[in-house]
Amino acid sequence: MTSSQDIQLAVNRILRTLSGKRLAGHRDIRLGLDRINRIVPDKQEWKGIHVAGTNGKGSICAFLTGLFKLGGIGYGSYTSPAFPESHNGITINGLYVNPRMYEMEKNHVQAKWDRIASGWKFHHHEDPETLSPFELETATAFRVFEKMHVPYGIVEVGMGGATDATNAMKQKAVTIISKIGLDHQEFLGNSLENIAKVKAGIMQKNVPCIVDHTNPPSVVRVLREHAREVGTDLILTWKAEPFLLTLDNRKWKLESYQIQNLLCAALAFRHTFPHKEINLDKLMATDPYLPGRMEQVEVSPEISGREGQTILVDGAHNMLGIEGLVGHVDKWLRKDEQPVTWVMGMSSSKHKPFDKIIEKVIQPQDNLAFVEFTQGPNDPAPAPANYGADHAKAIVKSPDQVYNGEPEVGAGLRWACDKAGEGGPVVVTGSLYLIRDLFKLHGINRKRELGTCRPGRSQLYRYTKLARERKLTAAEEREFKRARRHWQLSPVRNPTFADVHDGGKVNSAEVSAETSELQRKAAYHKAQAEGYRKTISVVRNDMRNDSTKNSESPNELVQSLADKLEGLKKQMKTHREEHASAMLKIRGRPALPNKKFMGHLKIFGRPKTAKEPTKSPFLVLDQSEKADAAANSRLDSWGQTVEEAAATATVEEKKESKKKEKPDGKAAADDPFADELVKGRRDV
């Protein structure tokens, strides 16, 4: 009879054959937990809060991070897709993970998979292929959580639930399912009930599941049935409505769907921390931030043509999201019959109702620029710009209200700002990949951006090794300096922050007036020297690119600056000498360049416990084989188990110790053969 393993290997062969016939631009989306379960650790130190659904997942994660911040609880957060950079999907206590750390951990995950894949290929003569991009990012996020020792991880599902890579979490505190709608039907199913079954797969036994009660009754019924099968409680958000007594919505102006997302987060937090206070007004005062969702962005005059142009950016990419956005625009931005100028770009999908979305968004007096985003390595293809423009022309009053230029977000935004005029509302919406392109434009000033975590010990050790091998770049040198400073200011080594971890205050060091003056002087001369350096560089560029230098009438201004170049160099040298002199007095010794290089032992210290041996991740055994292997591994050469042999040895040791304690005569009397042995012994 064919085993399940043989069937799986045959399926893998078929999939690899089909993968060679994929068209260009095909997205590498492979649902399933087989690969990622082999690279995530068996033991998970942090507890997960798993958020699934079609709409509102990101908002729920943002509200949860605010509640964790108010409660003073450490957390990590992982959302997708990440933009504008790949590491921006992971935050630690409200800060983006350090990009160098992200790359290091990502390389560790890839290296681990390469080892597993080579072992699997040797053992089964099958190539398990590579990890999908989302699996690689998810495993990296989990590894970052472990490295940063976060107690809780807020994780947003990528697609679906049961077979999503994020479902490889071993330990969950609570699960959340937000509003479910039609999206990704080619992967999840063509009905709300089928999609609900897939998303219900994140439920775990004895782990409460919070569900948005505004879901259709048929969806709630499916979720209840699955919760009953799994053995967990399903809690609807109407039970959290008493929390709304702490929310003044006249001040915050939240839409109904945003309130439901807020209740999902509040109820999940209450079940995780029953004794923590939940005040929604205090939560909203922290301004929970979700990039690209209902975000106000300033546009510079080089794009908009005027000062102070502000646009609304929201990544609504399905019908549920569009309905919420249109309701917000009609309520707060649109004044009477004033036209709204839209910049829109969608991902291509045969199941997405583009005509209905455009009809929902556009009114006859509105303007529309339907553009395309830049397709990345594993991004979906953008919907053709002319497709959206043709649908819009059938709705608007005049063809001039539809953009017909270059289908690029920058050009479309310039047209939209010009079309909107002074004070006209401009809204950019659609795929989050379009929002990513928007945020990369020069001249887009986001009012709020998260900071980045400081480099830790791993980055310090990495830069130490790199600095010994080659000259660091300017960015690497800055990171290296930040890593050294962070290491020096650690509460473990520096008394200034020793009491902060326990809720104490910063023990500021007392600095004399003389030292303060020297520090001020050093900072001044350093800034001046840097200014002169930049000036010299600019003058040299002008001299190099001056087209009139060999002509009869050279540029007099450039020539006069060139004559003063030596004076600028002398002044820069003077400031550098003054800076070095001040720093010498502060340190009490000259700068030691090699002091920045520290060894592994100094950076990390000695490990407290020995590392456990790594188990083979590709050895597959049945339950009976596992039992036999466990029994055989505990047998010695005489067929005894290790426990039996240990018990026998203990008894023998006790007998020997008793014999040693007795006198010689008594010991001989206890032994019936003692006399015979004495008689037969010959004295030498």
Side-chain angles (χ1 to χ4, degrees):
M1 183 176 179
T2 306
S3 66
S4 60
Q5 186 176 353
D6 293 335
I7 295 174
Q8 184 62 47
L9 294 177
V11 171
N12 290 340
R13 292 192 192 98
I14 296 172
L15 292 176
R16 277 195 301 278
T17 303
L18 293 176
S19 65
K21 302 180 182 297
R22 290 171 181 164
L23 299 176
H26 175 83
R27 298 184 71 190
D28 185 7
I29 298 177
R30 288 172 280 159
L31 300 177
L33 305 179
D34 181 61
R35 290 175 299 277
I36 193 168
N37 274 335
R38 298 178 185 275
I39 53 175
V40 296
D42 295 332
K43 187 178 180 182
Q44 180 180 306
E45 300 292 340
W46 49 277
K47 293 182 179 180
I49 298 178
H50 209 184
V51 186
T54 304
N55 279 76
K57 296 179 293 183
S59 298
I60 292 172
C61 291
F63 289 137
L64 279 170
T65 58
L67 288 169
F68 271 82
K69 184 177 180 180
L70 281 176
I73 305 167
Y75 67 92
S77 176
Y78 171 53
T79 57
S80 59
F83 64 89
E85 302 297 337
S86 57
H87 72 278
N88 294 138
I90 306 173
T91 60
I92 304 296
N93 295 328
L95 297 175
Y96 289 130
V97 67
N98 188 276
R100 277 76 182 177
M101 179 183 185
Y102 176 82
E103 290 299 327
M104 287 174 61
E105 302 306 331
K106 188 175 180 180
N107 292 337
H108 281 306
V109 171
Q110 186 61 58
K112 183 176 180 180
W113 174 253
D114 291 341
R115 293 193 299 270
I116 293 172
S118 62
W120 182 269
K121 187 174 182 179
F122 176 79
H123 193 74
H124 298 284
H125 306 288
E126 288 287 338
D127 185 6
E129 296 186 325
T130 60
L131 293 171
S132 70
F134 185 69
E135 288 171 338
L136 181 59
E137 292 171 5
T138 302
T140 303
F142 289 2
R143 185 178 174 93
V144 169
F145 289 173
E146 294 285 349
K147 290 289 184 179
M148 299 300 290
H149 304 289
V150 295
Y152 292 90
I154 303 167
V155 179
E156 177 188 356
V157 170
M159 181 190 297
T163 55
D164 187 74
T166 59
N167 207 27
M169 271 189 288
K170 302 295 189 296
Q171 187 178 189
K172 299 181 184 180
V174 64
T175 58
I176 304 172
I177 298 179
S178 66
K179 191 67 176 286
I180 293 178
L182 292 174
D183 201 6
H184 302 297
Q185 291 98 309
E186 60 269 32
F187 296 99
L188 307 179
N190 293 320
S191 68
L192 292 178
E193 292 75 19
N194 290 337
I195 295 175
K197 288 179 182 178
V198 178
K199 295 186 182 294
I202 68 170
M203 297 182 188
Q204 279 189 356
K205 186 177 181 180
N206 298 328
V207 176
C209 180
I210 313 299
V211 176
D212 187 337
H213 80 273
T214 61
N215 277 300
S218 59
V219 170
V220 176
R221 191 181 309 113
V222 169
L223 297 177
R224 281 193 185 279
E225 291 175 358
H226 189 83
R228 195 178 300 113
E229 293 173 2
V230 172
T232 186
D233 295 329
L234 189 140
I235 304 151
L236 298 179
T237 50
W238 63 263
K239 295 184 178 181
E241 288 181 354
F243 290 133
L244 295 178
L245 297 175
T246 64
L247 179 70
D248 182 10
N249 203 31
R250 292 173 298 178
K251 177 180 179 182
W252 307 113
K253 301 177 182 178
L254 297 179
E255 303 295 335
S256 59
Y257 68 92
Q258 292 175 313
I259 291 177
Q260 290 304 317
N261 296 335
L262 185 59
L263 292 180
C264 283
L267 199 55
F269 190 80
R270 170 49 53 89
H271 277 271
T272 309
F273 307 102
H275 304 294
K276 287 285 185 180
E277 178 194 8
I278 297 178
N279 188 307
L280 299 185
D281 268 342
K282 290 182 179 179
L283 170 62
M284 296 306 299
T286 64
D287 191 16
Y289 177 62
L290 185 64
R293 275 81 161 187
M294 290 296 179
E295 185 176 357
Q296 297 285 340
V297 174
E298 292 183 357
V299 183
S300 66
E302 60 185 292
I303 295 178
S304 63
R306 64 182 63 85
E307 291 285 348
Q309 177 75 49
T310 302
I311 63 175
L312 176 66
V313 177
D314 186 69
H317 55 277
N318 53 39
M319 185 55 78
L320 278 177
I322 288 293
E323 289 174 354
L325 174 63
V326 170
H328 176 83
V329 170
D330 291 344
K331 188 175 181 180
W332 303 108
L333 296 184
R334 191 187 296 274
K335 299 176 182 177
D336 299 327
E337 295 298 319
Q338 182 187 27
V340 176
T341 305
W342 301 82
V343 179
M344 181 182 292
M346 292 283 184
S347 58
S348 180
S349 173
K350 63 180 181 180
H351 296 284
K352 190 165 290 186
F354 291 104
D355 50 349
K356 294 181 180 179
I357 289 176
I358 294 176
E359 289 173 5
K360 185 70 178 177
V361 169
I362 301 298
Q363 293 189 10
Q365 71 272 21
D366 289 348
N367 307 306
L368 173 67
F370 201 94
V371 296
E372 302 174 8
F373 55 83
T374 304
Q375 186 178 6
N378 198 47
D379 297 344
N386 57 356
Y387 184 80
D390 292 341
H391 277 76
K393 287 177 181 177
I395 301 173
V396 298
K397 298 177 181 178
S398 170
D400 296 339
Q401 296 171 235
V402 180
Y403 174 68
N404 286 320
E406 186 71 22
E408 184 262 331
V409 63
L413 183 59
R414 291 186 185 90
W415 176 88
C417 292
D418 181 65
K419 199 74 174 176
E422 188 71 31
V426 178
V427 182
V428 180
T429 186
S431 173
L432 289 172
Y433 303 103
L434 176 75
I435 310 302
R436 176 192 62 191
D437 287 357
L438 174 72
F439 286 165
K440 288 183 178 180
L441 288 178
H442 181 69
I444 297 297
N445 304 314
R446 300 168 65 184
K447 294 185 177 180
R448 181 180 174 187
E449 289 188 66
L450 298 180
T452 303
C453 290
R454 291 173 292 184
R457 294 183 297 176
S458 298
Q459 289 81 45
L460 175 58
Y461 183 61
R462 174 175 177 267
Y463 286 126
T464 299
K465 292 197 299 182
L466 279 179
R468 289 172 174 170
E469 296 171 0
R470 60 172 174 82
K471 185 178 179 180
L472 299 180
T473 64
E476 290 173 340
E477 191 65 52
R478 285 194 299 270
E479 283 285 301
F480 190 21
K481 187 173 183 178
R482 290 185 67 200
R484 296 198 306 272
R485 184 179 299 156
H486 189 201
W487 186 87
Q488 292 287 352
L489 295 178
S490 170
V492 178
R493 302 171 195 87
N494 197 304
T496 304
F497 303 99
D499 300 332
V500 174
H501 185 271
D502 299 326
K505 297 182 179 180
V506 177
N507 303 319
S508 300
E510 295 184 2
V511 181
S512 63
E514 182 182 0
T515 304
S516 297
E517 178 61 24
L518 286 173
Q519 290 175 340
R520 186 201 62 77
K521 184 179 178 181
Y524 166 76
H525 287 294
K526 182 179 181 180
Q528 289 297 103
E530 180 64 16
Y532 278 106
R533 185 194 66 79
K534 291 181 179 179
T535 303
I536 293 170
S537 176
V538 170
V539 171
R540 283 176 174 170
N541 287 337
D542 283 344
M543 293 171 59
R544 190 180 302 111
N545 299 321
D546 184 17
S547 58
T548 64
K549 58 184 177 181
N550 296 325
S551 62
E552 296 180 357
S553 56
N555 191 323
E556 296 181 0
L557 181 60
V558 174
Q559 195 64 33
S560 63
L561 289 174
D563 295 338
K564 297 178 181 178
L565 195 60
E566 291 301 322
L568 294 175
K569 290 180 181 179
K570 290 181 181 179
Q571 197 67 14
M572 179 182 68
K573 183 179 179 182
T574 302
H575 282 294
R576 285 181 173 175
E577 290 174 352
E578 291 293 332
H579 171 260
S581 175
M583 291 302 297
L584 177 62
K585 294 177 182 178
I586 293 172
R587 292 195 199 98
R589 56 172 175 78
L592 303 175
N594 291 331
K595 197 174 180 64
K596 65 177 71 173
F597 302 132
M598 294 182 285
H600 186 278
L601 183 61
K602 185 174 182 180
I603 294 174
F604 294 97
R606 295 188 182 278
K608 295 180 180 179
T609 56
K611 187 177 180 181
E612 296 181 359
T614 305
K615 298 179 182 178
S616 174
F618 53 84
L619 185 60
V620 180
L621 297 175
D622 296 330
Q623 293 297 329
S624 59
E625 293 176 336
K626 288 181 180 179
D628 294 340
N632 292 332
S633 64
R634 304 186 69 82
L635 293 178
D636 61 8
S637 58
W638 297 96
Q640 288 181 309
T641 64
V642 176
E643 288 82 358
E644 292 173 352
T648 304
T650 304
V651 172
E652 294 296 332
E653 288 176 1
K654 288 182 179 179
K655 287 182 179 180
E656 291 295 329
S657 62
K658 287 181 180 179
K659 288 181 181 180
K660 291 179 181 179
E661 291 174 359
K662 295 178 181 179
D664 293 342
K666 192 172 182 181
D670 291 340
D671 189 355
F673 300 101
D675 294 338
E676 297 296 330
L677 289 173
V678 171
K679 290 178 182 178
R681 186 175 59 192
R682 291 186 299 174
D683 295 328
V684 179

